Amino acid sequence: MSDSPFGFGLPPEEPENGDEGKKKDPAGGDQGSGGQGGGNPFGANPFGFGGLPGMGGPGGADNPFAAMFGSLNPNDLGAAFQQLGQMLSYEGGPVNWDMAKQIARQVVAQGTSDGTKDASVGPAEKSAVEEALRLADLWLDGVTSLPSGASTAVAWSRAEWVEATLPAWQQLVDPVAERVGTAMGDVLPEEMQAMAGPLIGMMRSMGGAMFGQQIGQAVGALAGEVVGSTDVGLPLGPAGKAALLPLNIETFGRDLGVPKDEVRLYLALREAAHQRLFAHVPWLRSHLFGAVEGYARGIKVDTSKLEEAVGQLDPTHPEQLQEALQQGMFQPEDTPEQKAALARLETALALVEGWVDAVVHEAAKSRLTSADALRETLRRRRASGGPAEQTFATLIGLELRPRRLRDASRLWASLTDARGVDGRDDLWEHPDMLPTASDLDDPDGFVHREHLDFSELDKMLGEAARGGDKGPDDASEKGSDEGRGTDEGKDDGAK
């Protein structure tokens, strides 16, 4: 597994002038691993609370509040105390999402490492995005049987991307953060938990705030890189809303030597293709998000080192906990449940990205002179650690292997040749009909294998549910989507 989720790096400082204010860097350099130019948006240390004032981070001291207040002028003290109050008073879930949103917007306001600042989208850019998405949907009509999945087309600023995608990030992150928090709470014996109730409550509030800081840092960094609402292979935006970020598209295409209109249109094709898939494959979203929850349920932590550290912790020197955390004492263990969930998620994401890659290439190859170059650029972007790979690898230990994406794209293209557009897209009717990880190793074997028509099975189950020859228990068990995953359904679906 890659870097553990939620390493806590140095959080951004509160700007003096709201979203438009400039950040101060106490170290005089760049913003570290959590900044826009960093390779790891979540920080390098697994579960290391490096961003806490006085906790061993840059500029920290024995006094836990030295780093927070030492360099502040009197005008800044009010804001600092307000932030501290927010951390200590938080009583919500495992992540303080109000703080995450605040931090993300601060990172966006800071701008990217190339000096690009966020800005509102103007009328001309909005019109160009709407036209590109309209044309993209028209081109896709000829290469897929799935109808348009977008009812509206929008152009977002980076800040608007943050606002629109936070609900999806919450659904992704909360299960993992909840499990991590539970594991930390289980360290203390039950009788000690009763005695230390107020302290535990404060620690949970601090933990929620620290999670919020790091998630906000990561989301804010991603906002400076993504070009649409589906860059990470998941439907992060509202359903039915195809979105592009004109500022990031311009940055993406700056050194490619490709006309700006072609870059925009190719990325619009990818956004529109994702929208079709997520709109017309109703089980896909829950399948992907459910795999993340499955991973969270499988998290187990060896708490022996944490118990030892808690027993030896000197309350007057909280940086000792930071040092212990940085030494890897709180390392999640790989479990069979986690590995199975991650394998399921990785394969599903590869199939989604591979389908989009194949469909978009078919639509663009005869219309855009730069289609091949743009396709390869996006593939290399993923291979070198684009936003999707970095975020998932750090957030939940998932690495999107480019080899799997290329294999999936080849498999979908072979299916198109062998079965036609309708036969290829029919495989999205049920998860048991999709290729598996082993099928990506043998695409020809899967392409020419006989496959079950699930429409007949659905018809039989519907008749049974309406009071046919089957008993009520039998009908109710088989009438749900879960019921289609029986051994018989899986065996047939694999053929």
Side-chain angles (χ1 to χ4, degrees), residues 17 42 64 122 153 198 228 351 359 363 387 400 418 440:
N17 299 315
F42 284 85
L351 291 173
V359 167
L400 296 175
L440 295 180

Side-chain angles (χ1 to χ4, degrees), residues 44 51 79 96 118 164 205 216 285 318 362 385 401 404 410:
N96 187 332
D118 193 23
S205 297
R285 178 188 174 94
E362 186 65 24
R401 293 174 292 172
R404 295 284 84 181
R410 284 195 293 268

Side-chain angles (χ1 to χ4, degrees), residues 37 49 55 80 92 182 254 309 343 353 423 433 469:
F49 305 130
M55 294 285 278
T182 300
R254 184 173 295 158
E353 287 296 296
M433 297 177 67
D469 295 335

Side-chain angles (χ1 to χ4, degrees), residues 50-139:
L52 279 181
M55 294 285 278
D62 289 344
N63 180 351
F65 299 101
M68 177 179 283
F69 304 124
S71 62
L72 296 182
N73 60 54
N75 293 330
D76 295 324
L77 285 176
F81 277 116
Q82 182 179 11
Q83 186 174 26
L84 179 62
Q86 290 175 350
M87 295 176 68
L88 296 177
S89 63
Y90 176 69
E91 297 180 352
V95 178
N96 187 332
W97 287 102
D98 289 337
M99 181 166 286
K101 178 179 174 180
Q102 177 186 358
I103 297 297
R105 289 184 64 90
Q106 289 175 11
V107 174
V108 165
Q110 173 183 314
T112 49
S113 58
D114 63 358
T116 305
K117 296 285 187 179
D118 193 23
S120 299
V121 180
E125 292 173 316
K126 289 181 180 179
S127 178
V129 165
E130 291 171 358
E131 177 61 21
L133 288 167
R134 184 198 64 78
L135 185 56
D137 255 338
L138 184 64
W139 288 3

Side-chain angles (χ1 to χ4, degrees), residues 429-483:
E429 289 182 1
H430 193 278
D432 287 346
M433 297 177 67
L434 286 178
T436 63
S438 60
D439 291 326
L440 295 180
D441 296 324
D442 181 24
D444 290 337
F446 179 83
V447 168
H448 299 293
R449 192 180 306 157
E450 291 295 327
H451 59 286
L452 176 67
D453 182 357
F454 267 75
S455 62
E456 290 299 320
L457 179 58
D458 286 339
K459 181 179 178 181
M460 293 169 57
L461 294 175
E463 291 175 351
R466 288 192 296 269
D469 295 335
K470 300 292 184 182
D473 292 339
D474 193 24
S476 63
E477 289 178 3
K478 291 185 178 181
S480 66
D481 287 343
E482 296 276 340

